[in-house]
Amino acid sequence: MRRTGGRVMADSAPVRLAVLVSGNGTNLQVVIDRIEAGEINARMVCVVSNRQDAFALKRAEQHGIPTIIHEIGAYANRQAYDTALVEILRNQDVQLVLLAGFMRILTDVMVNAFPHAIMNIHPALLPAFPGLHAQQQALEYGVRFTGCTVHFVDIGTDTGPIILQAVVPVEADDTEETLAARIQQEEHRVYPEAVRLFCAGKISMNGRRVRILS
């Protein structure tokens, strides 16, 4: 993979992909499924978790994908943790990193190592409701619509350039759980689509603006 004029160019070889996880891994699963169906030109070379008990690790193992436990306890601070994480990913020649329920905020060490090559999915229409409990934030604010956002990761909290978004209506009787479930359905649609576009060389960057190429 190479970059020309801000455009991510796809070679014929599959993009080498890594996924960072902490929990159940449903977004991990949909990306795996799309890759195995031949819909995304990528090879998932590893799944990295900061928790040994993350069910996402079992999902990866069921598909023969190497897994790595990378816990924070062995490191003095977040920068040291991310420095070691960068080394893990570079040893695997990773070209694109996905966050799939990874419950750690990345430092500039990690972000600068993979500029415009780390994606995250957030359960709100950014820039509204960043951070934790976005669904509850939406309910408390009283919005009529919320949704999810796929974005590149920068050093802020859910502030990176937006790639794709999907809108979800908020129903009068919604709870945080029911709203989260409907948002997740859209996450499972737009996240693998953003990955597909990246791997097909159809994402162009101009500052913060993301353009989807035909």
Side-chain angles (χ1 to χ4, degrees), residues 48-63:
V48 181
S49 177
N50 64 319
R51 293 180 51 182
Q52 295 187 31
D53 62 348
F55 185 73
L57 294 171
K58 295 186 183 298
R59 294 181 185 273
E61 291 165 358
Q62 289 169 358
H63 292 266

Side-chain angles (χ1 to χ4, degrees), residues 8 25 36 41 44 49-50 72 77 84 87 89 96 101-102 109 115 134 143 152 156 167 174 200 208:
V8 179
E36 292 185 347
N41 184 31
M44 195 173 292
S49 177
N50 64 319
I72 185 64
N77 52 48
E87 183 176 0
L89 299 177
L96 175 63
F102 188 59
V109 172
V143 296
F152 286 120
V167 176
D174 263 330
R208 285 191 53 87

Side-chain angles (χ1 to χ4, degrees), residues 29-94:
Q29 186 68 60
V30 294
V31 174
I32 291 172
D33 292 344
R34 290 281 295 272
I35 292 173
E36 292 185 347
E39 299 172 9
I40 297 175
N41 184 31
R43 176 187 172 197
M44 195 173 292
V45 297
C46 64
V47 171
V48 181
S49 177
N50 64 319
R51 293 180 51 182
Q52 295 187 31
D53 62 348
F55 185 73
L57 294 171
K58 295 186 183 298
R59 294 181 185 273
E61 291 165 358
Q62 289 169 358
H63 292 266
I65 300 167
T67 60
I68 299 169
I69 307 297
H70 185 54
E71 295 180 303
I72 185 64
Y75 300 93
N77 52 48
R78 292 169 55 211
Q79 285 75 19
Y81 178 90
D82 278 7
T83 298
L85 179 58
V86 168
E87 183 176 0
I88 289 170
L89 299 177
R90 283 183 170 162
N91 285 341
Q92 298 287 337
D93 294 324
V94 169

Side-chain angles (χ1 to χ4, degrees), residues 85-173:
L85 179 58
V86 168
E87 183 176 0
I88 289 170
L89 299 177
R90 283 183 170 162
N91 285 341
Q92 298 287 337
D93 294 324
V94 169
Q95 297 165 298
L96 175 63
V97 181
L98 303 184
L99 308 186
F102 188 59
M103 300 304 292
R104 295 200 58 80
I105 296 176
L106 300 179
T107 68
D108 58 345
V109 172
M110 180 68 182
V111 173
N112 292 337
F114 296 93
H116 294 152
I118 307 174
M119 284 187 190
N120 185 43
I121 181 85
H122 182 74
L125 293 175
L126 293 173
F129 313 128
L132 298 175
H133 306 295
Q135 303 93 335
Q136 188 60 37
Q137 290 185 59
L139 290 172
E140 291 174 355
Y141 202 88
V143 296
R144 301 303 179 98
F145 296 91
T146 184
C148 57
T149 303
V150 184
H151 64 96
F152 286 120
V153 175
D154 62 11
I155 59 172
T157 301
D158 301 319
T159 56
I162 292 169
I163 304 168
L164 293 176
Q165 293 182 300
V167 176
V168 174
V170 179
E171 305 295 344
D173 59 349

